[in-house]
Amino acid sequence: DIQMTQSPASLSASLGETVTIECRASEDIYNGLAWYQQKPGKSPQLLIYNANSLHTGVPSRFSGSGSGTQYSLKINSLQSEDVASYFCQQYYDYPWTFGGGTKLELK
Amino acid sequence: EVQLVESGGGLVQPGRSLKLSCAASGFTFSNYYMAWVRQAPKKGLEWVATISTSGSRTYYPDSVKGRFTISRDNAKSSLYLQMNSLKSEDTATYYCARVPFLTTVALDYWGQGVMVTVSS
């Protein structure tokens, strides 16, 4: 199975700040990676797919990058509504696997 | 508007069975792969099953293979998850999700989730 290691596990940032979350795969996943946002008590929502494609309706302050085994999610100009947990997921190979998550809070 | 509404959750004893349903609307259900993902309380996400458009292909992780069965009824725009031989570690919120597979196999829309508690 492909292991997804996400960092940091938690993050505190100020409004307007730029935030970066990293995800490392245990082997090359050839950009088969998605990022999801999950607000407290809600279901996950897709932000980024294919490592760097923005899902419909997602604000442009979110962006994804990376290749091979290393991927990142960047949030520019942090807004209060971005307080949430973020998860990466590889779908290059079965079984699909998720990172452990990053809890983003406001400082 | 894409809508996915899960039902069928509840409290069940270890070793018993439960069947979850997911009613889809707002899109042509038969054109999409579908999946189930679960989340144990205060934990991360775990993929549970995926099914092809016709239902001829199904995929599972080892943790549920042989115990869980994903199925679909395209005429009813419904997805199902039959869960047998339930264990305490199956306690989680179960989400159904759509897989647009032609552009990506990311999970582009999710339901609100249904809670399953396995306990005696």
Side-chain angles (χ1 to χ4, degrees):
Chain A
D1 298 4
I2 298 174
Q3 307 300 317
M4 303 301 293
T5 303
Q6 192 173 334
S7 61
S10 63
L11 181 56
S12 182
S14 303
L15 291 174
E17 199 173 324
T18 295
V19 167
T20 300
I21 298 169
E22 308 278 346
C23 203
R24 186 181 78 250
S26 59
E27 61 185 82
D28 196 329
I29 57 172
Y30 298 95
N31 282 16
L33 183 106
W35 290 97
Y36 302 92
Q37 176 193 66
Q38 185 177 32
K39 296 184 179 180
K42 301 293 187 181
S43 56
Q45 294 192 314
L46 178 65
L47 297 174
I48 302 287
Y49 63 94
N50 296 350
N52 55 28
S53 297
L54 198 66
H55 181 51
T56 305
V58 175
S60 59
R61 64 179 180 274
F62 291 90
S63 64
S65 63
S67 63
T69 62
Q70 301 274 9
Y71 298 87
S72 60
L73 172 71
K74 187 164 78 170
I75 310 172
N76 286 318
S77 189
L78 188 70
Q79 305 294 304
S80 58
E81 59 263 33
D82 300 334
V83 169
S85 292
Y86 294 83
F87 296 90
C88 62
Q89 179 223 350
Q90 70 79 21
Y91 45 81
Y92 169 69
D93 195 15
Y94 286 110
W96 295 347
T97 46
F98 290 86
T102 295
K103 188 173 183 180
L104 175 60
E105 299 175 326
L106 282 179
K107 191 180 291 182
Chain B
E1 179 193 5
V2 173
Q3 284 203 320
L4 299 168
V5 180
E6 301 94 338
S7 61
L11 174 64
V12 61
Q13 292 180 328
R16 303 299 290 265
S17 299
L18 198 64
K19 186 172 185 177
L20 305 182
S21 299
C22 172
S25 61
F27 65 101
T28 304
F29 181 74
S30 58
N31 288 351
Y32 290 83
Y33 278 43
M34 296 295 294
W36 289 97
V37 175
R38 68 184 179 184
Q39 186 171 34
K42 305 295 184 185
K43 298 292 186 183
L45 299 166
E46 181 186 15
W47 166 71
V48 172
T50 298
I51 189 167
S52 63
T53 52
S54 66
S56 61
R57 289 186 296 274
T58 57
Y59 309 85
Y60 306 92
D62 287 346
S63 58
V64 308
K65 194 176 296 182
R67 299 189 301 123
F68 289 13
T69 302
I70 188 172
S71 62
R72 64 191 298 160
D73 185 335
N74 286 341
K76 295 182 177 179
S77 295
S78 292
L79 178 72
Y80 306 101
L81 185 68
Q82 176 69 47
M83 303 184 293
N84 299 331
S85 303
L86 282 161
K87 307 175 182 180
S88 58
E89 52 262 42
D90 296 319
T91 294
T93 296
Y94 285 74
Y95 298 99
C96 72
R98 192 180 81 165
V99 184
F101 81 101
L102 291 179
T103 51
T104 177
V105 290
L107 303 162
D108 67 348
Y109 290 95
W110 299 55
Q112 85 287 352
V114 62
M115 185 67 200
V116 172
T117 302
V118 183
S119 175
S120 54

